[in-house]
Amino acid sequence: MVYKSMTLRDYEDCLALWKGVEGLSIQKADSKEAIGAYLKRNPGLSYVVRENGALVGAVLCGHDGRRGFLHHVAVAPSHRRKGIATSLVTRALEALAGAGIDKCHIFVLNNNAEGLAFWKKSGWLKRRDIILMSMDAPQTAGI
């Protein structure tokens, strides 16, 4: 297996993986343009893994200068329970540490039982003191 930093050339394969993994939600923010901007803003933090050229895992990682964030951690069902997700997450966390970021968050959908079990088993803590709230940016003509 070959691990490497994610680039925009990996986008179509990542999107196919993300769409094929139960428990992940693809949104407008996952467009090729948006992912390209994210990778440019967070160089060297996101990773993919390929086996015989086929993409079998990916993690999208970035930070806001204070805290890191993992998005779309996914491994093809045929390659699960081989340590791939753990290795991808470890690489992302090490890259964040190299950028001076010492805390990381991940968003997991409530109905993603397999994902929740993975994160709990991996030592991540479910926060009960925070409520996530979101809002789409207003669409303003001319911007």
PDB file of all heavy atoms in Angstrom, residues 6-12 31-37 39:
ATOM      1  N   MET A   6      -2.696  13.980  -0.133  1.00  0.00           N
ATOM      2  CA  MET A   6      -3.784  14.141  -1.087  1.00  0.00           C
ATOM      3  C   MET A   6      -3.545  15.377  -1.943  1.00  0.00           C
ATOM      4  O   MET A   6      -3.112  16.421  -1.435  1.00  0.00           O
ATOM      5  CB  MET A   6      -5.116  14.282  -0.335  1.00  0.00           C
ATOM      6  CG  MET A   6      -6.337  14.380  -1.238  1.00  0.00           C
ATOM      7  SD  MET A   6      -7.864  14.778  -0.326  1.00  0.00           S
ATOM      8  CE  MET A   6      -8.048  13.352   0.729  1.00  0.00           C
ATOM      9  N   THR A   7      -3.826  15.250  -3.227  1.00  0.00           N
ATOM     10  CA  THR A   7      -3.805  16.390  -4.135  1.00  0.00           C
ATOM     11  C   THR A   7      -5.149  16.428  -4.859  1.00  0.00           C
ATOM     12  O   THR A   7      -5.947  15.488  -4.777  1.00  0.00           O
ATOM     13  CB  THR A   7      -2.677  16.279  -5.179  1.00  0.00           C
ATOM     14  OG1 THR A   7      -2.972  15.209  -6.085  1.00  0.00           O
ATOM     15  CG2 THR A   7      -1.315  16.055  -4.509  1.00  0.00           C
ATOM     16  N   LEU A   8      -5.370  17.491  -5.587  1.00  0.00           N
ATOM     17  CA  LEU A   8      -6.622  17.617  -6.323  1.00  0.00           C
ATOM     18  C   LEU A   8      -6.759  16.522  -7.386  1.00  0.00           C
ATOM     19  O   LEU A   8      -7.874  16.173  -7.764  1.00  0.00           O
ATOM     20  CB  LEU A   8      -6.741  19.015  -6.931  1.00  0.00           C
ATOM     21  CG  LEU A   8      -8.151  19.448  -7.321  1.00  0.00           C
ATOM     22  CD1 LEU A   8      -9.133  19.301  -6.161  1.00  0.00           C
ATOM     23  CD2 LEU A   8      -8.148  20.865  -7.842  1.00  0.00           C
ATOM     24  N   ARG A   9      -5.643  15.941  -7.815  1.00  0.00           N
ATOM     25  CA  ARG A   9      -5.713  14.826  -8.776  1.00  0.00           C
ATOM     26  C   ARG A   9      -6.404  13.611  -8.165  1.00  0.00           C
ATOM     27  O   ARG A   9      -6.898  12.750  -8.883  1.00  0.00           O
ATOM     28  CB  ARG A   9      -4.310  14.448  -9.264  1.00  0.00           C
ATOM     29  CG  ARG A   9      -3.689  15.496 -10.177  1.00  0.00           C
ATOM     30  CD  ARG A   9      -2.355  15.033 -10.743  1.00  0.00           C
ATOM     31  NE  ARG A   9      -1.367  14.771  -9.717  1.00  0.00           N
ATOM     32  CZ  ARG A   9      -0.562  15.674  -9.157  1.00  0.00           C
ATOM     33  NH1 ARG A   9      -0.626  16.930  -9.558  1.00  0.00           N
ATOM     34  NH2 ARG A   9       0.319  15.342  -8.244  1.00  0.00           N
ATOM     35  N   ASP A  10      -6.468  13.539  -6.853  1.00  0.00           N
ATOM     36  CA  ASP A  10      -7.129  12.428  -6.164  1.00  0.00           C
ATOM     37  C   ASP A  10      -8.630  12.662  -5.986  1.00  0.00           C
ATOM     38  O   ASP A  10      -9.339  11.775  -5.505  1.00  0.00           O
ATOM     39  CB  ASP A  10      -6.503  12.228  -4.774  1.00  0.00           C
ATOM     40  CG  ASP A  10      -5.037  11.860  -4.835  1.00  0.00           C
ATOM     41  OD1 ASP A  10      -4.703  10.888  -5.534  1.00  0.00           O
ATOM     42  OD2 ASP A  10      -4.230  12.552  -4.180  1.00  0.00           O
ATOM     43  N   TYR A  11      -9.107  13.835  -6.361  1.00  0.00           N
ATOM     44  CA  TYR A  11     -10.479  14.223  -6.034  1.00  0.00           C
ATOM     45  C   TYR A  11     -11.538  13.233  -6.504  1.00  0.00           C
ATOM     46  O   TYR A  11     -12.389  12.806  -5.715  1.00  0.00           O
ATOM     47  CB  TYR A  11     -10.803  15.623  -6.573  1.00  0.00           C
ATOM     48  CG  TYR A  11     -12.243  16.001  -6.321  1.00  0.00           C
ATOM     49  CD1 TYR A  11     -12.649  16.418  -5.060  1.00  0.00           C
ATOM     50  CD2 TYR A  11     -13.198  15.897  -7.322  1.00  0.00           C
ATOM     51  CE1 TYR A  11     -13.971  16.742  -4.809  1.00  0.00           C
ATOM     52  CE2 TYR A  11     -14.519  16.216  -7.078  1.00  0.00           C
ATOM     53  CZ  TYR A  11     -14.907  16.635  -5.816  1.00  0.00           C
ATOM     54  OH  TYR A  11     -16.217  16.934  -5.574  1.00  0.00           O
ATOM     55  N   GLU A  12     -11.541  12.870  -7.772  1.00  0.00           N
ATOM     56  CA  GLU A  12     -12.601  11.997  -8.299  1.00  0.00           C
ATOM     57  C   GLU A  12     -12.622  10.657  -7.579  1.00  0.00           C
ATOM     58  O   GLU A  12     -13.690  10.141  -7.241  1.00  0.00           O
ATOM     59  CB  GLU A  12     -12.442  11.795  -9.812  1.00  0.00           C
ATOM     60  CG  GLU A  12     -12.582  13.062 -10.638  1.00  0.00           C
ATOM     61  CD  GLU A  12     -13.920  13.770 -10.487  1.00  0.00           C
ATOM     62  OE1 GLU A  12     -14.949  13.095 -10.213  1.00  0.00           O
ATOM     63  OE2 GLU A  12     -13.954  15.003 -10.632  1.00  0.00           O
ATOM     64  N   SER A  31     -17.379  20.101  -3.239  1.00  0.00           N
ATOM     65  CA  SER A  31     -17.145  20.262  -4.675  1.00  0.00           C
ATOM     66  C   SER A  31     -15.640  20.238  -4.951  1.00  0.00           C
ATOM     67  O   SER A  31     -14.818  20.448  -4.048  1.00  0.00           O
ATOM     68  CB  SER A  31     -17.730  21.592  -5.163  1.00  0.00           C
ATOM     69  OG  SER A  31     -16.965  22.675  -4.649  1.00  0.00           O
ATOM     70  N   LYS A  32     -15.294  19.997  -6.181  1.00  0.00           N
ATOM     71  CA  LYS A  32     -13.875  19.957  -6.547  1.00  0.00           C
ATOM     72  C   LYS A  32     -13.199  21.290  -6.232  1.00  0.00           C
ATOM     73  O   LYS A  32     -12.071  21.315  -5.731  1.00  0.00           O
ATOM     74  CB  LYS A  32     -13.722  19.603  -8.027  1.00  0.00           C
ATOM     75  CG  LYS A  32     -12.287  19.359  -8.429  1.00  0.00           C
ATOM     76  CD  LYS A  32     -12.190  18.807  -9.845  1.00  0.00           C
ATOM     77  CE  LYS A  32     -10.754  18.424 -10.159  1.00  0.00           C
ATOM     78  NZ  LYS A  32     -10.639  17.789 -11.476  1.00  0.00           N
ATOM     79  N   GLU A  33     -13.879  22.379  -6.501  1.00  0.00           N
ATOM     80  CA  GLU A  33     -13.316  23.706  -6.243  1.00  0.00           C
ATOM     81  C   GLU A  33     -13.096  23.913  -4.743  1.00  0.00           C
ATOM     82  O   GLU A  33     -12.058  24.427  -4.318  1.00  0.00           O
ATOM     83  CB  GLU A  33     -14.234  24.797  -6.804  1.00  0.00           C
ATOM     84  CG  GLU A  33     -14.373  24.786  -8.306  1.00  0.00           C
ATOM     85  CD  GLU A  33     -15.264  23.656  -8.840  1.00  0.00           C
ATOM     86  OE1 GLU A  33     -16.130  23.118  -8.102  1.00  0.00           O
ATOM     87  OE2 GLU A  33     -15.076  23.288 -10.009  1.00  0.00           O
ATOM     88  N   ALA A  34     -14.081  23.524  -3.941  1.00  0.00           N
ATOM     89  CA  ALA A  34     -13.974  23.708  -2.489  1.00  0.00           C
ATOM     90  C   ALA A  34     -12.872  22.829  -1.896  1.00  0.00           C
ATOM     91  O   ALA A  34     -12.093  23.286  -1.048  1.00  0.00           O
ATOM     92  CB  ALA A  34     -15.313  23.412  -1.819  1.00  0.00           C
ATOM     93  N   ILE A  35     -12.787  21.588  -2.344  1.00  0.00           N
ATOM     94  CA  ILE A  35     -11.740  20.699  -1.844  1.00  0.00           C
ATOM     95  C   ILE A  35     -10.371  21.214  -2.294  1.00  0.00           C
ATOM     96  O   ILE A  35      -9.402  21.187  -1.521  1.00  0.00           O
ATOM     97  CB  ILE A  35     -11.962  19.240  -2.306  1.00  0.00           C
ATOM     98  CG1 ILE A  35     -13.257  18.685  -1.706  1.00  0.00           C
ATOM     99  CG2 ILE A  35     -10.756  18.360  -1.962  1.00  0.00           C
ATOM    100  CD1 ILE A  35     -13.276  18.538  -0.198  1.00  0.00           C
ATOM    101  N   GLY A  36     -10.284  21.724  -3.511  1.00  0.00           N
ATOM    102  CA  GLY A  36      -9.026  22.304  -3.986  1.00  0.00           C
ATOM    103  C   GLY A  36      -8.581  23.467  -3.114  1.00  0.00           C
ATOM    104  O   GLY A  36      -7.400  23.571  -2.746  1.00  0.00           O
ATOM    105  N   ALA A  37      -9.513  24.335  -2.755  1.00  0.00           N
ATOM    106  CA  ALA A  37      -9.188  25.471  -1.884  1.00  0.00           C
ATOM    107  C   ALA A  37      -8.772  24.977  -0.498  1.00  0.00           C
ATOM    108  O   ALA A  37      -7.836  25.515   0.102  1.00  0.00           O
ATOM    109  CB  ALA A  37     -10.396  26.408  -1.781  1.00  0.00           C
ATOM    110  N   LEU A  39      -7.382  22.049   0.281  1.00  0.00           N
ATOM    111  CA  LEU A  39      -6.042  21.459   0.185  1.00  0.00           C
ATOM    112  C   LEU A  39      -4.969  22.543   0.054  1.00  0.00           C
ATOM    113  O   LEU A  39      -3.881  22.425   0.627  1.00  0.00           O
ATOM    114  CB  LEU A  39      -5.963  20.486  -0.997  1.00  0.00           C
ATOM    115  CG  LEU A  39      -6.814  19.217  -0.872  1.00  0.00           C
ATOM    116  CD1 LEU A  39      -6.784  18.436  -2.175  1.00  0.00           C
ATOM    117  CD2 LEU A  39      -6.364  18.360   0.296  1.00  0.00           C
TER     118      LEU A  39
END
